[in-house]
């Protein structure tokens, strides 16, 4: 009997120790193809907003974004994201080969509001918002509260250029300090939606 109890304890300890942080994907999220994303991208990005997250499990940051694009480029499903150099997330996006986009239900609007107005340099956004970080098999960060997660690999980046704007009013309105966004094109590697 003692041996059976010892064996059961050992199995329980091993199962706990081996629990993969990505296990949540199989119970809470389902993997889908980029072509199966049902959202209207203009509404999803422009109205619902999203979090851009870059970094790894030890050091990452996220920011709210309402600008971006989902589409097809170079025969690949891609996203375009825009990050200003003064944003704390910029450092992480520059250093990492990957980033994630996380979309939430409306009930989490306060999280997006906070992450869009407060800097990770000054605040612990995880602590302040209650976001629960999770990790893909590649080690990229997403959040348990998400309804949709898009994992991307950077394939191109460059700054918007002043002399490339045909409509100069955009510069006056959006870039009076000439702090142009850097555009990152990310190949969509994985998409998960909440079950």
């Amino acid at each position: 009997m003692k041996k059976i109890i010892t064996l059961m304890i050992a199995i329980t300890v091993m199962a706990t120790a081996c629990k993969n942080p990505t296990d949540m994907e199989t119970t809470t999220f389902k993997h889908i193809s980029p072509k199966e994303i049902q959202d209207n991208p203009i509404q999803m990005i422009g109205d619902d907003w999203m979090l851009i997250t870059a970094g790894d499990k030890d050091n990452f940051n996220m920011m709210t974004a309402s600008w971006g694009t989902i589409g097809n480029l170079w025969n690949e499903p891609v996203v375009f994201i825009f990050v200003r150099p003064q944003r704390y997330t910029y450092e992480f996006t520059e250093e990492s080969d990957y980033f994630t986009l996380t979309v939430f239900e409306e009930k989490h609007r306060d999280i997006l509001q906070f992450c869009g107005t407060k800097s990770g340099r000054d605040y612990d956004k995880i602590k302040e918002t209650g976001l629960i970080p999770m990790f893909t098999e590649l080690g990229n960060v997403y959040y348990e509260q998400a309804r949709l997660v898009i994992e991307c690999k950077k394939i191109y980046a460059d700054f918007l250029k002043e002399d490339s704007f045909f409509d100069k009013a955009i510069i006056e309105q959006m870039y009076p300090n000439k702090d142009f966004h850097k555009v990152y094109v990310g190949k969509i590697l994985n998409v998960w939606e909440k079950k």
Side-chain angles (χ1 to χ4, degrees), residues 151-163:
E151 183 178 37
C152 306
K153 179 176 176 55
K154 288 190 312 191
I155 57 174
Y156 180 83
D158 198 5
F159 282 98
L160 295 175
K161 295 175 176 60
E162 184 174 5
D163 60 356

Side-chain angles (χ1 to χ4, degrees), residues 40-115:
N40 174 324
I42 295 172
Q43 180 179 344
M44 179 177 75
I45 297 168
D47 296 337
D48 298 345
W49 306 345
M50 61 186 174
L51 285 185
I52 298 170
T53 305
D56 58 34
K57 63 183 179 70
D58 297 319
N59 197 19
F60 63 90
N61 196 63
M62 76 295 291
M63 62 174 261
T64 301
S66 61
W67 292 3
T69 306
I70 297 176
N72 193 67
L73 181 66
W74 303 315
N75 300 319
E76 299 287 357
V78 297
V79 301
F80 286 59
I81 61 168
F82 300 79
V83 183
R84 275 192 165 107
Q86 64 264 42
R87 297 298 299 260
Y88 188 45
T89 302
Y90 176 81
E91 299 170 26
F92 294 88
T93 310
E94 280 291 286
E95 292 171 10
S96 179
D97 291 333
Y98 303 93
F99 60 87
T100 60
L101 305 181
T102 311
V103 182
F104 298 86
E105 295 175 352
E106 181 61 30
K107 67 183 179 181
H108 297 299
R109 177 69 65 167
D110 57 330
I111 292 173
L112 293 163
Q113 202 71 46
F114 187 91
C115 292

Side-chain angles (χ1 to χ4, degrees), residues 169-180:
I170 295 172
I171 297 172
E172 294 169 21
Q173 182 182 9
M174 300 293 179
Y175 302 104
N177 298 321
K178 308 295 173 83
D179 55 341
F180 297 102

Side-chain angles (χ1 to χ4, degrees), residues 20-25 56-58 60 132-143 151 192:
N20 185 329
T22 61
D23 284 350
M24 190 69 174
E25 296 170 10
D56 58 34
K57 63 183 179 70
D58 297 319
F60 63 90
I132 301 168
M134 302 184 67
F135 308 95
T136 70
E137 288 183 15
L138 293 172
N140 298 307
V141 183
Y142 68 105
Y143 307 96
E151 183 178 37
W192 295 276

